[in-house]
Amino acid sequence: MAIDKPLPQQQQLQKIVDVIKPEPLAIMTSGTYRHYYDQAGNRYSHIIDARRLAPVSHSTVSVTVFHDDLSEADAWSTALLCLGSAAGMDVAKQYGLSVLFIDQHQDTFTEYSSTALQHNRAITLTQPQYP
């Protein structure tokens, strides 16, 4: 399993996911980098932040949630993407969620792992090795 690098027109790996767990695990990613449109120099995501009734417009471009329930993983990944990494990290901590946030600032990607993900011994994330 792998997590895509949040690039609009390319498919490259950001992280390799290794899961050592006998029970099923849902891995759900929500992002603003695949489905969007550009207009007048602004990028508009397909994900709508219900608090603002507008597309997500902050620097968090990808949220991956690791959860034992697929429906909850899906809901959390979208909700946390709407919140962004700063507020989303607080919610992940409050609910003990294993989450990887990826923010983009120009051409640089920054990853933020929740405390639960950092301490989750069943999930290992590694950098892909390219020749």
Side-chain angles (χ1 to χ4, degrees):
M1 173 70 193
I3 299 170
D4 277 349
K5 190 171 212 161
L7 298 169
Q9 303 299 325
Q10 302 175 36
Q11 286 198 300
Q12 237 182 350
L13 300 182
Q14 178 78 17
K15 290 289 185 197
I16 304 293
V17 179
D18 187 27
V19 179
I20 306 166
K21 177 179 171 165
E23 303 87 29
L25 178 71
I27 303 171
M28 185 63 66
T29 299
S30 292
T32 60
Y33 54 95
R34 291 271 191 255
H35 303 287
Y36 62 87
Y37 72 94
D38 292 327
Q39 181 180 8
N42 294 313
R43 179 160 287 175
Y44 296 95
S45 166
H46 74 292
I47 296 185
I48 304 299
D49 184 338
R51 299 167 302 167
R52 298 182 10 220
L53 300 177
V56 170
S57 61
H58 48 66
S59 62
T60 301
V61 293
S62 175
V63 175
T64 301
V65 175
F66 304 85
H67 199 284
D68 58 354
D69 182 273
L70 177 62
S71 296
E72 287 190 39
D74 186 26
W76 277 119
S77 67
T78 303
L80 294 171
L81 180 65
C82 289
L83 289 174
S85 61
M89 194 65 79
D90 292 338
V91 172
K93 183 175 183 179
Q94 178 182 353
Y95 289 94
L97 300 171
S98 292
V99 183
L100 176 67
F101 295 88
I102 301 175
D103 286 7
Q104 181 177 12
H105 301 282
Q106 296 175 9
D107 292 334
T108 303
F109 296 102
T110 307
E111 298 176 359
Y112 304 97
S113 296
S114 68
T115 303
L117 181 57
Q118 293 171 21
H119 293 102
N120 192 329
R121 301 215 189 294
I123 301 168
T124 305
L125 303 179
T126 56
Q127 288 291 124
Q129 301 298 317
Y130 293 104

